[in-house]
Amino acid sequence: MAPRLDFSDWLAKDTRKGTPVVVKMENLNYSVVEIEGPDSASRPPVEKNRGKNAKQVTWVLLLKAHRAVGCLTWLATVFWSLLGSIKKRLSFTHPLASEKLGRDRWLFSAIKLFLAVSLLILGFEIVAYFRGWHYFKNPNLHIPTTTLEIQSLLHLVYVGWLSLRADYIAPPIKALSKFCIVLFLIQSVDRLILCLGCFWIKYKKIKPRFDEEPFSNDDAEGCGYVYPMVLVQIPMCNEREVYEQSISAVCQLDWPKDRILVQVLDDSNDESIQQLIKAEVAKWSQKGVNVIYRHRLVRTGYKAGNLKSAMSCDYVEAYEFVAIFDADFQPNPDFLKLTVPHFKDNPELGLVQARWTFVNKDENLLTRLQNINLCFHFEVEQQVNGVFLNFFGFNGTAGVWRIKALEESGGWLERTTVEDMDIAVRAHLHGWKFIYLNDVKVLCEVPESYEAYKKQQHRWHSGPMQLFRLCLGAILTSKIAIWKKANLILLFFLLRKLILPFYSFTLFCIILPLTMFVPEAELPVWVICYIPVFMSFLNLLPSPKSFPFIVPYLLFENTMSVTKFNAMVSGLFQLGSSYEWIVTKKAGRSSESDLYSITEKETTNEKTQLLRGVSDSELLELSQLEEQKQTKKPVKKTNKVYHKELALAFLLLTAAVRSLLAAQGVHFYFLLFQGVTFLLVGLDLIGEQMS
């Protein structure tokens, strides 16, 4: 038997000194009860709420100070790195690399005047603030009227300014703000109805379908009589970065070779680019693809003129449908098999539009914000209008037209910079129906630089106003139903193309900073905070991964309202910039899977077979072109400075300082962050630099 070690007596000697303690254990709940001992009376009483000793307090304070210093150090590091990146970007700014205002100088001049007046009033208000002349803590002013209350001549001038502001300036600002708020609410209701329609489509699983498989599973070449004749057009202009991948993707469409013709419509004025595109077309022609190269000597009408010239060829009469892809679009091989069958047994169908997806949507903050807008456009606007109205604006690419619908609608016209919307409206007036396929997606790019994005948005918002002026009479005299006319005029043009940029710019960039200097017309918090956040939330629903960017998205959309408003006015009143067409700069990005498949398919044996039928002179030319592609000169990148955005940045920051004097919390933070956003955009610190 093992010996038992008893330490109870030894422990008792040490534990009997002091206050005896009894521990009660019931259901794992412990309670400590202090028992009065014989020596308890001799000890001094202990304070029950006695705090920590001085040494512990010192250590706690030192720990908190250390954390505060660490936080300040981190903020200083972030701020310093931000300043370093800004300095680095601005160092690339060329002396002449600033925005060319041209005939749009009127808006910049108006903003500069507004800024100068705001700075003058702000200085006046600061003087009044430090002299204690602020008689208002709310919109109800107390204006001194007796001579006893007037302290000096400057005080008298300030009192006169208060009277002028309350009696003559505030009423028109209130009227304009109420008008813009009504427009804002109407547009918000329209946006909410579109979202509810999209939810209904998702819930009921509504989407266009064709009843039976139109093509047999046999060899495509053997059953060619089933396939209609399809013409595929790729309009391009100086598209050095993307011509190769777009031609490659289109030439790999799964369709009988004798039932398809690819037209590469090159409007390039750079001879080196022309030679590169010719070589690419020759390469695919040697592989047996029915592809031809067309180049216009006279470049009139931009893209519309290019497409019109191509449709005038005699051989086009043999084709029933035409598919259009811009130079940066890469359709999947099954694109035609997913779109063309919808025309079968549907003689009223004129257009089938596919959805865009973006290769570079995660490239930078600018591309992420564009992806939010375009996802909402395709997922909600196009899909809802396609299902319930059978009408929407043609996106200009990734669509298939019935050639008969184009001809009956008047063909491509060169009267606006939005030829795609023009042909869609005219086809709708002639009774043709449209189908949108949200499941058929075509890869493309979004602009990665603010310079390219700004020019693209200017064209997209000035063109619809040009078109509205030109086709309003045709809409009113057309034979379509009255509700279709109302939809075209009130919703398609006025609400979504004119009212949206008007109230967005006027309300958030003009009226809001103006009310900081005229507090009698102050905007309520729900107008500048709650409803915009809710509308931004709705816009982000089609792209849920973008929810962390809801605040940058809201601020950036308000920033872009300047460009959209300027474009809308230019198009509505036919100013010079409304007819400006600038090809959107592309980066030439492809998905990794596309690059891998292209690399696998283009082996050395295929190149050898391709060069067998080429003459010595053509072979020499091809080798020279390959050398040009491999030895590219380093591209110098520059920053641009945007005057209107910078002027508005200083205006909003000035209004933020004024709101700080009046202790307006939400207004101050909104103006501050919006002003900083304008400043970043004005210095071209968002997106990639332009080459």
Side-chain angles (χ1 to χ4, degrees), residues 170-184 503 506-507 511-512 515 520-524 526-527:
I173 294 178
K174 285 182 179 180
L176 181 60
S177 63
K178 288 180 180 179
F179 177 67
C180 290
I181 289 173
V182 170
L183 297 180
F184 183 29
Y503 86 76
T506 307
L507 190 61
I511 294 179
L512 178 59
T515 56
E520 297 86 354
E522 180 180 334
L523 293 174
W526 59 269
V527 173

Side-chain angles (χ1 to χ4, degrees), residues 5-26:
L5 301 177
D6 192 359
F7 296 98
S8 58
D9 295 337
W10 178 75
L11 292 172
K13 294 179 182 179
D14 296 334
T15 56
R16 283 171 188 161
K17 296 180 181 179
T19 303
V21 176
V22 176
V23 180
K24 295 182 179 181
M25 302 178 63
E26 296 179 1

Side-chain angles (χ1 to χ4, degrees), residues 182-196 495 531 535 538:
V182 170
L183 297 180
F184 183 29
L185 294 176
I186 292 174
Q187 198 271 336
S188 301
V189 171
D190 174 63
R191 188 63 56 95
L192 181 61
I193 292 174
L194 287 174
C195 290
L196 293 176
L495 183 59
I531 292 185
M535 290 296 103
L538 292 181

Side-chain angles (χ1 to χ4, degrees), residues 148-161:
L148 296 177
E149 294 180 287
I150 303 299
Q151 301 176 7
S152 63
L153 179 61
L154 185 62
H155 191 192
L156 180 63
V157 174
Y158 182 69
V159 170
W161 156 247

Side-chain angles (χ1 to χ4, degrees), residues 439-577:
D439 296 334
V440 182
K441 302 176 181 180
V442 182
L443 278 174
C444 63
E445 290 186 18
V446 288
E448 296 183 9
S449 67
Y450 180 70
E451 165 85 11
Y453 180 62
K454 181 183 175 73
K455 291 178 179 178
Q456 182 195 68
Q457 292 300 305
H458 188 279
R459 187 176 78 247
W460 286 3
H461 286 82
S462 64
M465 290 299 97
Q466 296 176 13
L467 182 61
F468 179 64
R469 298 178 74 260
L470 293 172
C471 69
L472 179 60
I475 295 174
L476 294 175
T477 58
S478 65
K479 297 181 181 180
I480 61 175
I482 296 179
W483 68 269
K484 291 184 178 181
K485 295 180 182 179
N487 172 67
L488 267 177
I489 297 174
L490 299 179
L491 293 181
F492 186 76
F493 279 112
L494 291 182
L495 183 59
R496 296 167 189 165
K497 303 296 188 296
L498 188 147
I499 291 177
L500 177 59
F502 170 77
Y503 86 76
S504 181
F505 172 75
T506 307
L507 190 61
F508 295 107
C509 299
I510 299 298
I511 294 179
L512 178 59
L514 191 60
T515 56
M516 297 298 100
F517 302 98
V518 186
E520 297 86 354
E522 180 180 334
L523 293 174
V525 176
W526 59 269
V527 173
I528 65 173
C529 182
Y530 301 144
I531 292 185
V533 170
F534 180 67
M535 290 296 103
S536 300
F537 175 79
L538 292 181
N539 283 6
L540 266 70
L541 287 179
S543 53
K545 293 183 180 180
S546 301
F547 273 104
F549 302 98
I550 184 170
V551 174
Y553 172 75
L554 173 61
L555 297 174
F556 183 70
E557 281 301 293
N558 289 335
T559 306
M560 285 304 301
S561 66
V562 184
T563 299
K564 296 176 182 178
F565 175 80
N566 184 31
M568 181 267 294
V569 174
S570 300
L572 192 62
F573 296 102
Q574 292 186 314
L575 301 180
S577 62

Side-chain angles (χ1 to χ4, degrees), residues 221 229-234 247 250-253 255-264 281-293 315 318-319:
E221 300 294 339
M229 299 287 287
V230 177
L231 179 68
V232 183
Q233 296 176 333
I234 313 175
I247 295 175
V250 170
C251 288
Q252 296 180 65
L253 289 172
W255 204 256
K257 294 181 179 180
D258 60 336
R259 314 291 292 178
I260 185 174
L261 172 64
V262 179
Q263 284 183 320
V264 179
V281 171
K283 181 181 75 173
W284 287 100
S285 179
Q286 289 290 328
K287 292 182 179 181
V289 178
N290 194 9
V291 54
I292 60 174
Y293 173 87
Y315 54 79
Y319 293 86

Side-chain angles (χ1 to χ4, degrees), residues 48 76 104 309 325 378 403 406 426 460 464 482 609-610 615:
K48 294 183 179 180
D104 296 334
S309 174
F325 299 100
F378 285 104
I403 294 181
L406 290 176
R426 287 185 281 116
W460 286 3
I482 296 179
Q609 292 178 358
L610 174 64
S615 62

